[in-house]
Amino acid sequence: MNQALMEILVTDLTLDPQALSPQARLEEAGLDSLAIVELGLLLRERSGVQIGEDVLSSATTLGALDHLVEEHLARR
């Protein structure tokens, strides 16, 4: 998983690192709608990548979310 994404999930959103497997559904990992909004803001602030909450929440698993973030990082 992308190191920047992992750091945000664990450090800023205080999610349990043990629950952060690529197959975990966002809800299972602890990402509710408010956390998705905060994730989008933190990604923009830290990496300059702007991904809308609707796009972030379209990922169903952490693996899909990681892939989505990687795609956006590659475009910048």
Side-chain angles (χ1 to χ4, degrees):
M1 186 175 291
N2 177 290
Q3 188 61 34
L5 176 60
M6 182 64 90
E7 185 175 321
I8 290 171
L9 295 175
V10 174
T11 305
D12 297 293
L13 301 179
T14 63
L15 300 182
D16 178 8
Q18 300 301 321
L20 302 181
S21 72
Q23 311 84 290
R25 297 185 59 74
L26 299 185
E27 302 82 28
E28 294 169 346
L31 282 166
D32 60 12
S33 58
L34 183 57
I36 293 288
V37 170
E38 191 171 355
L39 174 61
L41 293 171
L42 289 166
L43 284 169
R44 183 176 66 223
E45 180 181 293
R46 303 248 172 94
S47 62
V49 172
Q50 186 162 346
I51 308 172
E53 296 89 45
D54 56 332
V55 175
L56 289 171
S57 61
S58 71
T60 55
T61 64
L62 287 176
L65 179 65
D66 182 46
H67 182 72
L68 197 143
V69 170
E70 286 291 338
E71 284 181 341
H72 280 78
L73 285 171
R75 291 184 200 154
R76 62 176 183 142

